[in-house]
Amino acid sequence: MNDVETLVGAWLSVPEIADALGLPHRTVRRMIDDGELLAARVGPNEAISVPAAFVRDGELLPALGGTITVLRDAHLTSEEALRWLFTPDDTLPVVGSPITMLQLGRKAEVRKRASELAW
């Protein structure tokens, strides 16, 4: 098990996330391939999976897409971006990690910090 797999904790396979979002599997795979959705190979079979924290009420977190774009603009790989999103940060205004902030709808601070990664 790699550190990102442990850090994220709960994962959804491509079929599981497709079902959760009501999308065809090929659409989810295209989103991953196009860099619109972060994924990693996890588990004993190294299946491509997406963090379960990205989904709420049958939809992707509203601020996720723009945040991924900022992280990509900072030239982070998928693994680096996942590590950054899920690593606890004591300097945030709420207890948790950047993904916690996104789940609370507080994208401005997360994107500001993500854009600083490019410098």
Side-chain angles (χ1 to χ4, degrees):
M1 186 177 290
N2 64 42
D3 65 327
V4 171
E5 184 175 353
T6 303
L7 191 59
V8 171
W11 294 86
L12 297 172
S13 66
V14 170
E16 290 170 331
I17 193 133
D19 291 346
L21 300 174
L23 297 172
H25 297 184
R26 69 182 173 280
T27 300
V28 172
R29 286 193 183 276
R30 187 175 63 246
M31 291 171 71
I32 293 168
D33 291 343
D34 291 347
E36 298 172 29
L37 191 58
L38 298 173
R41 292 194 171 272
V42 300
N45 295 332
E46 294 191 4
I48 297 172
S49 300
V50 174
F54 287 177
V55 179
R56 182 176 56 203
D57 299 328
E59 295 181 357
L60 290 174
L61 294 175
L64 186 62
T67 303
I68 290 172
T69 299
V70 174
L71 292 168
R72 295 268 186 222
D73 288 349
H75 304 288
L76 269 64
T77 64
S78 291
E79 185 173 315
E80 291 167 335
L82 286 167
R83 188 176 294 113
W84 185 82
L85 280 169
F86 285 88
T87 298
D89 183 345
D90 294 339
T91 67
L92 290 171
V94 297
V95 175
S97 60
I99 194 67
T100 307
M101 294 279 290
L102 293 180
Q103 290 170 325
L104 296 172
R106 299 181 68 178
K107 67 182 179 188
E109 179 70 17
V110 172
R111 289 187 185 168
K112 176 181 171 268
R113 291 174 185 233
S115 66
E116 292 170 354
L117 297 172
W119 300 104

